Amino acid sequence: MTYFHIDDLMYKKGRLMTRSEYENYFREDGSLKNRILRYLKSNVGTKGAFDKMYSLIRNNAFINLKEADTIVDWSKSGTIMLENL
């Protein structure tokens, strides 16, 4: 299963937001640290994401989840039990 966030596919080097812009948009403290971290998360490593997705689509066969569900033998798959913390 593969997931790409739409923002990862649209390479655009944004600028660092002002404190006011950041706080209005994200509704959280616009400290320099928060703004730099958000900038890095949003911009670093996204330049090649579209090409990587395109390569995956071009070089692999995909099926939808409904089809996959009919193919997988769920009795042979592992189970993870989640407990309340």
Side-chain angles (χ1 to χ4, degrees):
M1 182 176 286
T2 303
Y3 172 81
F4 285 88
H5 190 280
I6 191 68
D7 280 348
D8 295 336
L9 302 177
M10 297 186 293
Y11 176 69
K12 58 189 179 318
K13 278 289 186 198
R15 62 174 176 71
L16 193 62
M17 289 183 174
T18 66
R19 181 179 199 111
S20 175
E21 289 171 331
Y22 184 94
E23 289 176 347
N24 285 332
Y25 188 81
F26 293 109
R27 303 282 189 240
E28 62 184 36
D29 178 43
S31 68
L32 183 58
K33 177 185 174 187
N34 285 351
R35 289 182 286 139
I36 290 172
L37 288 174
R38 178 73 66 169
Y39 176 84
L40 292 173
K41 288 178 187 179
S42 298
N43 291 291
V44 174
T46 60
K47 187 174 184 179
F50 184 84
D51 292 334
K52 290 174 186 174
M53 181 194 69
Y54 185 76
S55 179
L56 278 172
I57 292 170
R58 186 179 62 235
N59 297 318
N60 296 282
F62 289 88
I63 58 175
N64 64 42
L65 289 175
K66 185 176 181 179
E67 213 174 330
D69 185 41
T70 63
I71 295 171
V72 173
D73 182 353
W74 294 107
S75 67
K76 294 181 182 177
S77 67
T79 303
I80 298 172
M81 299 302 292
L82 301 176
E83 298 179 21
N84 292 336
L85 300 176

